[in-house]
């Protein structure tokens, strides 16, 4: 079996519950990947600036499918940037105002934005995933950035119901996907993690059957269906487990690194 590209989701997949990973083991496997010419890609709903902070020594060598595919950066170079039409941004913000239990972060290329009236607890939660997060008086007035995603937060038990309501309210302006922990991302139709992987595959001449992907949540579904080798964590969402070829050990049992070790034949 030939794997030329390994794509990993971060939260609930590559990262353990402490928001970290076995850095020593990864470092050894990364050297093997380099020797074998295997590309390592981080594919996450999170912000590029947050994702690269997990790999300080090598972030300039890696590729990132950030913001669920809306921002793709390879070796420090921008490969793809999505954009939501400014009119649709206004329409979606108007619709979201009716969801009283929800909190909203508006995500752009230069920064993410949050209303300064949001509770401190939510802003602190947001800063974990968005290292560049600006407080603004009104999200409707954010204009000087390329905006490509909404990140919403709801009480966990409401998420299934809210997803249905958002689908109905938003039509096909933006697509709601669950990203775990009560978080829901609204993404550009057709711009998801698999789309980001395809941009990198074009760059490197890698076929779908040469891709291995790892995930745990609804925003990983397209990527798992796209990849020749697809793995879902034992802690993953039930409907995601059905989409993958194999269920592996959880994110707290080094599931991803042990499977990568196996794929590399080490």
């Amino acid at each position: 079996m030939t794997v030329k590209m390994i794509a990993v989701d971060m939260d609930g997949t590559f990262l353990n519950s402490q928001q970290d990973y076995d850095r020593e083991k990864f470092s050894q496997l990364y050297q093997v990947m380099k020797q074998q010419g295997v590309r390592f890609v981080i594919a996450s709903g999170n912000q590029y600036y947050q994702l690269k902070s997990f790999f300080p020594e090598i972030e300039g060598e890696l590729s990132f499918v950030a913001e669920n595919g809306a921002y793709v950066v390879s070796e420090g170079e921008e490969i793809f940037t999505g954009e939501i039409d400014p009119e649709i941004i206004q329409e979606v913000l108007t619709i979201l105002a009716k969801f009283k239990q929800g909190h909203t972060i508006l995500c752009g290329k230069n920064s993410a934005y949050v209303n300064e009236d949001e509770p401190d607890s939510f802003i602190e939660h947001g800063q974990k995933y968005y290292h560049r997060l600006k407080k603004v008086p009104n999200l409707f007035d954010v204009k000087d950035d390329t905006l490509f995603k909404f990140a919403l937060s709801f009480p966990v038990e409401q998420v299934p119901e809210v997803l249905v309501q958002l689908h109905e309210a938003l039509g096909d302006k933006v697509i709601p996907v669950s990203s775990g922990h009560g978080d829901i991302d609204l993404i550009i139709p057709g711009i998801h993690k698999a789309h980001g992987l395809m941009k990198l595959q074009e760059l490197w001449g890698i076929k779908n059957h040469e891709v291995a992907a790892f995930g745990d949540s609804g925003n990983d579904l397209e990527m798992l269906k796209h990849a020749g080798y697809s793995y879902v964590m034992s802690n993953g969402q039930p409907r995601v487990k059905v989409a993958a070829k194999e269920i592996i050990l959880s994110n707290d049992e080094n599931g991803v690194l042990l499977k990568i070790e196996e794929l590399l034949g080490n």
Side-chain angles (χ1 to χ4, degrees):
M1 65 201 262
T2 313
V3 171
K4 293 190 178 171
M5 175 171 166
I6 293 172
V8 301
D9 167 55
M10 290 294 275
D11 296 301
T13 301
F14 189 76
L15 298 178
N16 59 28
S17 301
Q18 282 70 52
Q19 289 279 290
D20 205 354
Y21 61 97
D22 184 338
R23 289 172 188 254
E24 194 179 331
K25 188 170 185 67
F26 172 74
S27 181
Q28 292 162 358
L29 291 173
Y30 180 64
Q31 292 310 317
V32 179
M33 283 186 251
K34 277 179 33 172
Q35 286 157 16
Q36 295 187 8
V38 176
R39 302 278 185 168
F40 184 72
V41 179
I42 293 90
S44 168
N46 297 347
Q47 190 183 52
Y48 168 61
Y49 307 103
Q50 185 248 19
L51 294 172
K52 67 179 193 167
S53 74
F54 284 103
F55 305 94
E57 292 86 19
I58 55 169
E59 45 115 337
E61 300 176 12
L62 298 177
S63 301
F64 297 86
V65 172
E67 308 277 9
N68 275 329
Y71 193 45
V72 182
V73 177
S74 180
E75 296 170 20
E77 204 173 311
E78 210 173 290
I79 304 298
F80 174 80
T81 307
E83 181 169 17
I84 300 175
D85 182 285
E87 277 180 28
I88 289 182
I89 297 275
Q90 302 289 313
E91 286 174 43
V92 171
L93 286 171
T94 305
I95 290 166
L96 290 176
K98 297 175 185 138
F99 287 80
K100 301 292 179 223
Q101 297 285 314
H103 303 282
T104 301
I105 291 174
L106 182 54
C107 308
K109 185 171 128 177
N110 299 325
S111 182
Y113 305 88
V114 64
N115 197 305
E116 60 193 17
D117 296 341
E118 289 280 14
D120 290 345
S121 59
F122 173 67
I123 293 173
E124 281 163 27
H125 172 74
Q127 282 163 340
K128 281 188 207 157
Y129 305 104
Y130 300 92
H131 281 193
R132 291 191 187 177
L133 184 62
K134 280 187 192 155
K135 293 187 206 177
V136 293
N138 192 336
L139 291 178
F140 282 92
D141 298 333
V142 176
K143 299 282 198 296
D144 301 333
D145 200 349
T146 304
L147 301 170
F148 42 46
K149 198 188 81 182
F150 294 84
L152 315 179
S153 201
F154 285 88
V156 175
E157 66 281 1
Q158 291 182 16
V159 167
E161 186 189 343
V162 167
L163 278 170
V164 173
Q165 292 169 346
L166 286 169
H167 267 293
E168 286 169 8
L170 296 165
D172 55 4
K173 293 182 180 76
V174 282
I175 308 296
V177 293
S178 67
S179 55
H181 329 293
D183 295 335
I184 294 173
D185 283 348
L186 304 181
I187 64 176
I188 303 166
I191 306 297
H192 39 58
K193 291 184 184 185
H195 179 271
L197 294 187
M198 284 189 264
K199 290 282 172 200
L200 294 172
Q201 286 173 242
E202 282 167 27
L203 199 63
W204 301 325
I206 292 175
K207 298 180 173 58
N208 296 356
H209 69 263
E210 297 169 320
V211 177
F214 295 81
D216 73 311
S217 290
N219 61 343
D220 298 314
L221 279 168
E222 291 90 355
M223 172 171 83
L224 293 169
K225 288 173 183 166
H226 170 77
Y229 302 93
S230 54
Y231 304 97
V232 72
M233 316 310 290
S234 63
N235 53 283
Q237 296 172 359
R239 69 197 186 95
V240 183
K241 288 181 176 175
V242 180
K245 305 259 191 323
E246 193 182 324
I247 297 169
I248 60 171
L249 291 172
S250 78
N251 64 322
D252 284 326
E253 299 170 290
N254 243 352
V256 171
L257 293 180
L258 290 169
K259 182 50 75 175
I260 289 176
E261 190 167 35
E262 196 182 304
L263 288 171
L264 297 172
N266 260 30

